[in-house]
Amino acid sequence: MKGKYHIVVQNNRLRYEMDIRRNITIIRGDSATGKTKLIDLLEQAADLGEGSGVEVLCERPCRTLGGKDWNLVLPNIHQQILFLDEENKFVKSREFASAVKASDNYFVIVTREDLPNLPYSVEEIYGIHTSGKYHDLKRTYNELYHIYSGETFSGGVSPETVIVEDSNSGYEFFRAICSENGMDCLSAGGKFNLKITASGLGKEPAIVIADGAAIGPEMNELYQMMRHKPEVKCYLPESFEWLILKSGMIDGKLIQDILEHPEDFIESREYFSWERFFTALLAEHTRDSHLRYSKNQLNAAYLHEKIKQAILNAAEGVDWKKRMENRNHGGR
Amino acid sequence: MIRGNSSVLSDRMAGHAMRRYFKRNCLKKKIAQEDNAMLKIIFGEVENSVYHPPTYFDNQYEDEWITDPLTVAMIRDIDKSEVVGPRLIESPVLGPIPVKEISGGVKTLILMAFDQSGRIFNASACGDNCAKWIAEIGRQKNLTINLHHVMDFSTVSAFEAVMLNTGAMVHSYGEYLEAAIQIKER
């Protein structure tokens, strides 16, 4: 499934409104915000239709998925938006992750668990908050908000240490930048080790750079780590490949169009998470050029001054210039 | 019955609801704290645990739990609702509702406080706005909770707990967080 879908769920007293644009969306947050009520309303609407008194407005059918027979039901559902409540323990199983990967549906999962088998985006982790009464003053209006606010992430940090998620091209790029500017660059050896690596640092300003498109399962703990150790920040672009594409160094109107609304181009059954799509897109558009991209090993052309600067400029929120100026003035 | 300790409460508890509850009940009654009161946390799958406490609550709760001052205070704080009677709650959003319509987080807190079955309840059914109540219940009785995520106890002052996966005792939120991220079980 592709695309962004606006959903309205309402009855006489409650109205929920949200946009869903990726295969996996997580809803969590404080108790008593109406998560279970949302699922209840959707279930009633799916079971009884208009006779339920619940109105569901969406281009795609919305329904709930749950219970012991979920794996028998799911293969028969296509191009729908499925909501799962937190009682469904199977959401953390590998079997469920495989089913999501093979599915052409979107999944909205209510859970506080991290679900490490599912590569969901930091951008698609929401809470529900009440934003007031609707027009008739009788109905309470609820909408989604991003749980992890951007200001805690990078906030113009000028790091002394950079922690990168893996040891592929992205790491090689940032290691080169760090080496030129007297910074330390560490590979966490996988996103699951980011928090432990960050936890072991001293008081120096540090930044964690990871693929935002799939960092969701780590966000609860990383976010708490950032608040507890304010000198640690995160920069979470969709992926390193997305950053290269955003830098403008790869020509093409199509690329800019895709970056503006990726959800209209990324088929969820083909790409489990968006960073895989951006990797494929970059590889395809550089295949026959001097910027030929390989995820496993960085093409040295990406370290040429002009290209390097364009990529760094695309990394909003990280103040690389300060470091470089310090270096040029002889400081560390 | 949850028991209160006046010397600990005034500086430890955040939130008007908790303060009101313990002022009205524990301080006046001067009920002693359980000797072995401690919050114990175990991450991951564990025997005898209830994964979805709200369902267990719906089928097992007792009327007298609902009108206990502790429950009244928790429902007021978390759900912003008032207990009218053992079978009726007044919600500002939904109007009069039955007990089964209170939030899953409060249902889990009530079980932690009153259930005598010896079961361990999954505190991942509770939002972070329940953390201060879990910590307080753990100060008053020997409470073991099960977690499948790292709950944020940063709003709890003087946080203490035993991490059963490692046996370590933690004396602050920072120590808890450092210990929790090293534990692989979820």
Side-chain angles (χ1 to χ4, degrees):
Chain A
M1 194 154 101
K2 289 180 189 173
K4 179 164 89 172
Y5 299 96
H6 187 68
I7 304 174
V8 176
V9 181
Q10 61 182 3
N11 68 6
N12 203 21
R13 293 188 181 277
L14 293 166
R15 178 183 172 97
Y16 294 87
E17 218 166 315
M18 67 198 79
D19 289 315
I20 301 298
R21 62 178 202 144
R22 297 196 208 209
N23 57 343
I24 305 164
T25 299
I26 302 293
I27 300 179
R28 57 177 57 145
D30 280 347
S31 291
T33 52
K35 300 180 291 295
T36 299
K37 196 70 198 171
L38 168 65
I39 301 287
D40 287 347
L41 293 178
L42 282 161
E43 192 159 294
Q44 289 165 8
D47 287 349
L48 301 172
E50 283 184 15
S52 65
V54 179
E55 195 175 8
V56 179
L57 306 172
C58 183
E59 262 182 73
R60 300 279 182 179
C62 298
R63 56 162 293 170
T64 57
L65 178 70
K68 284 193 179 298
D69 297 336
W70 70 270
N71 49 355
L72 302 176
V73 175
L74 183 55
N76 300 306
I77 303 172
H78 300 282
Q79 304 284 320
Q80 299 193 22
I81 301 173
L82 310 180
F83 288 75
L84 295 92
D85 204 359
E86 65 182 354
E87 75 223 35
N88 294 300
K89 198 175 184 177
F90 64 78
V91 296
K92 60 182 177 182
S93 69
R94 285 187 182 159
E95 184 190 3
F96 179 67
S98 299
V100 171
K101 189 177 179 184
S103 172
D104 60 352
N105 300 290
Y106 280 6
F107 296 80
V108 180
I109 305 169
V110 176
T111 184
R112 294 188 185 89
E113 295 199 39
D114 299 326
L115 310 184
N117 295 317
L118 294 175
Y120 54 93
S121 165
V122 61
E123 294 289 329
E124 309 304 337
I125 306 173
Y126 298 97
I128 296 177
H129 70 175
T130 299
S131 53
K133 294 282 184 183
Y134 203 56
H135 306 306
D136 54 13
L137 296 178
K138 188 170 67 176
R139 194 181 285 158
T140 303
Y141 179 68
N142 298 288
E143 59 186 0
L144 302 187
Y145 69 96
H146 282 113
I147 291 263
Y148 303 111
S149 61
E151 68 221 38
T152 317
F153 287 177
S154 50
V157 67
S158 177
E160 284 183 22
T161 301
V162 174
I163 303 170
V164 183
E165 176 179 343
D166 53 31
S167 54
N168 293 330
S169 288
Y171 170 68
E172 290 180 35
F173 178 82
F174 288 110
R175 186 181 59 183
I177 302 298
C178 288
S179 173
E180 288 173 16
N181 295 286
M183 295 180 264
D184 294 325
C185 188
L186 308 173
S187 168
K191 65 183 174 186
F192 305 112
N193 294 323
L194 286 168
K195 55 186 180 271
I196 293 171
T197 308
S199 156
L201 296 177
K203 291 286 182 190
E204 73 272 21
I207 192 157
V208 171
I209 299 178
D211 293 348
I215 198 67
E218 294 302 304
M219 278 317 298
N220 172 44
E221 293 172 35
L222 264 180
Y223 192 72
Q224 289 191 60
M225 169 68 63
M226 279 190 284
R227 285 193 301 148
H228 183 60
K229 289 183 73 159
E231 60 275 12
V232 176
K233 304 287 184 188
C234 278
Y235 175 59
L236 305 172
E238 293 283 351
S239 67
F240 179 59
E241 294 78 15
W242 175 87
L243 202 54
I244 294 172
L245 292 164
K246 187 170 172 254
S247 73
M249 297 313 295
I250 315 297
D251 288 334
K253 185 180 178 311
L254 176 64
I255 287 178
Q256 296 313 312
D257 202 20
I258 290 172
L259 292 178
E260 279 173 23
H261 43 104
E263 63 273 12
D264 292 331
F265 296 87
I266 303 175
E267 170 56 52
S268 63
R269 189 152 59 171
E270 200 173 340
Y271 297 101
F272 202 14
S273 69
W274 283 11
E275 95 274 15
R276 297 184 186 191
F277 169 81
F278 291 121
T279 302
L281 183 68
L282 180 60
E284 185 189 325
H285 279 74
T286 57
R287 194 167 39 208
D288 300 320
S289 78
H290 72 291
L291 289 175
R292 183 186 175 90
Y293 182 78
S294 160
K295 192 173 181 66
N296 295 330
Q297 188 172 16
L298 185 68
N299 178 344
Y302 286 96
L303 292 173
H304 288 169
E305 193 60 26
K306 184 181 168 196
I307 295 171
K308 183 177 71 183
Q309 278 305 329
I311 295 171
L312 292 179
N313 289 343
E316 293 163 7
V318 185
D319 189 358
W320 304 101
K321 283 181 188 162
K322 199 169 167 185
R323 277 274 141 202
M324 291 174 179
E325 283 164 10
N326 284 349
R327 177 199 60 177
N328 294 337
H329 289 92
R332 184 173 185 251
Chain B
M1 181 71 190
I2 296 301
R3 298 156 196 274
N5 179 327
S6 61
S7 65
V8 180
L9 297 179
S10 59
D11 61 341
R12 281 192 178 172
M13 289 193 295
H16 298 300
M18 266 197 297
R19 276 196 287 274
R20 268 202 301 272
Y21 163 71
F22 284 104
K23 190 174 176 185
R24 283 181 190 162
N25 298 282
C26 303
L27 305 191
K28 286 181 182 171
K29 291 178 186 173
K30 299 187 185 304
I31 300 168
Q33 191 178 15
E34 278 184 16
D35 288 341
N36 59 347
M38 177 55 68
L39 175 62
K40 296 174 183 172
I41 299 171
I42 184 158
F43 286 92
E45 299 298 325
V46 58
E47 274 184 38
N48 203 29
S49 74
V50 175
Y51 182 77
H52 193 243
T55 302
Y56 180 90
F57 175 91
D58 289 350
N59 293 298
Q60 291 291 331
Y61 82 88
E62 301 285 350
D63 285 350
E64 60 264 30
W65 296 356
I66 306 306
T67 50
D68 186 279
L70 173 62
T71 300
V72 171
M74 293 193 296
I75 289 175
R76 186 176 293 144
D77 178 45
I78 305 292
D79 289 7
K80 314 299 178 206
S81 297
E82 293 297 326
V83 175
V84 177
R87 297 185 182 181
L88 184 64
I89 311 295
E90 180 70 28
S91 157
V93 175
L94 303 170
I97 57 170
V99 171
K100 287 186 179 183
E101 295 260 332
I102 63 175
S103 69
V106 168
K107 287 178 182 179
T108 306
L109 290 173
I110 295 171
L111 289 169
M112 288 174 186
F114 299 104
D115 183 80
Q116 300 291 327
S117 69
R119 287 182 169 80
I120 298 170
F121 296 102
N122 174 16
S124 290
C126 296
D128 292 337
N129 54 341
C130 297
K132 57 184 182 286
W133 288 103
I134 292 173
E136 190 51 44
I137 294 167
R139 287 190 192 111
Q140 311 307 324
K141 65 179 276 193
N142 197 22
L143 173 67
T144 301
I145 63 167
N146 184 206
L147 277 173
H148 293 278
H149 79 299
V150 177
M151 190 171 208
D152 185 348
F153 285 100
S154 62
T155 57
V156 179
S157 57
F159 180 74
E160 284 193 334
V162 175
M163 313 292 273
L164 290 179
N165 299 79
T166 60
M169 174 90 187
V170 294
H171 303 280
S172 67
Y173 165 68
E175 286 184 18
Y176 156 79
L177 183 60
E178 295 283 343
I181 64 173
Q182 301 286 344
I183 294 170
K184 288 188 176 165
E185 289 85 2
R186 287 290 182 270

